[in-house]
Amino acid sequence: PVSRPATGAPARARGRRRRAVRETGFGCGLNLRAARHAGREDPDRCARLHFVSLEKHPFPAADLERLHARYPELAGEAAALRAAWPPLVPGVHRLELEGGRVVLTLAFADAAEALRELSLAADAIYLDGFAPAKNPEMWSRAAIKAIARLAAPGATAATWSAAAPVREALAAAGFEPEKRPGFAGKREMLAARCAPRGGARAAPAPLAR
């Protein structure tokens, strides 16, 4: 499943030069597409989008092509992504799309390990779409705490999963979660806003250059 941002870009990101988005599972890149389109439709959009995503099991380019064929409306964007797709080597890979207006940082790594290494303050976060029963690693208290560390105050987050353990873990990490109507046959989803109790965090920054 693919999560959507609960809202548009937070007000704090509008009019700025950069916007940072975090994702816990890249898959075939549909959330990247959603973030790119949201930015284009925002009259106060930032000049550059930094999209940072984790993926433990990245698809080979041939598999990406087969998956992208299901979405013909994405043909041009999907082809550009596949053309820049890196070798499936563990570690951090930086791709520049749309002439550098979109910077995609991919971490091919175990989520628990990668979350400890990342350094940014995300304006929006795409959380894992699977319930804790299917992907417990991404919904552990430690993982959610690490995700919260990478969120700027006021950042928005969204996930398909509306399970009680997910809401509890988000609340314990400093988010304010709430159920929202789902889409594509899903009755409910979760939206959340980061409201840390410990004060402001660092300004958004790309992971690597």
Side-chain angles (χ1 to χ4, degrees):
V2 179
S3 56
R4 287 181 179 174
T7 63
R12 66 180 298 281
R14 291 180 179 153
R16 284 206 327 239
R17 183 172 177 270
R18 296 183 303 186
R19 180 185 175 214
V21 177
R22 252 275 291 118
E23 180 185 41
T24 54
F26 186 77
C28 65
L30 292 182
N31 283 336
L32 171 63
R33 182 257 185 179
R36 291 165 74 177
H37 277 253
R40 290 175 193 151
E41 295 170 1
D42 188 341
D44 297 319
R45 61 186 176 274
C46 295
R48 175 173 284 193
L49 168 66
H50 284 277
F51 195 95
V52 181
S53 185
L54 312 180
E55 184 54 65
K56 186 176 182 180
H57 304 292
F59 288 111
D63 289 346
L64 277 180
E65 186 171 8
R66 284 192 287 272
L67 290 167
H68 289 160
R70 301 175 184 176
Y71 308 95
E73 70 277 15
L74 308 183
E77 293 177 352
L81 174 63
R82 294 195 304 273
W85 197 241
L88 304 187
V89 177
V92 175
H93 305 269
R94 181 183 169 103
L95 289 64
E96 294 199 1
L97 307 169
E98 297 185 17
R101 291 187 295 275
V102 176
V103 178
L104 170 60
T105 300
L106 283 170
F108 292 161
D110 177 84
E113 175 185 336
L115 286 169
R116 289 195 299 268
E117 300 298 325
L118 289 173
S119 177
L120 77 156
D123 301 300
I125 302 169
Y126 292 90
L127 296 166
D128 195 75
F130 293 100
K134 293 186 176 180
N135 194 5
E137 178 185 359
M138 283 311 308
W139 291 116
S140 69
R141 292 296 177 103
I144 298 301
K145 184 176 180 180
I147 288 169
R149 178 183 64 82
L150 303 173
T156 56
T159 174
W160 275 79
S161 178
V166 172
R167 299 197 305 273
E168 292 165 3
L170 287 169
F175 286 91
E176 296 176 346
E178 63 174 314
K179 289 183 179 180
R180 297 275 182 88
F183 60 98
K186 186 73 165 60
R187 187 168 63 89
E188 292 179 323
M189 61 177 286
L190 274 186
R193 186 179 70 87
C194 182
R197 302 180 184 89
R201 296 187 177 96
L207 174 64
R209 293 193 177 276

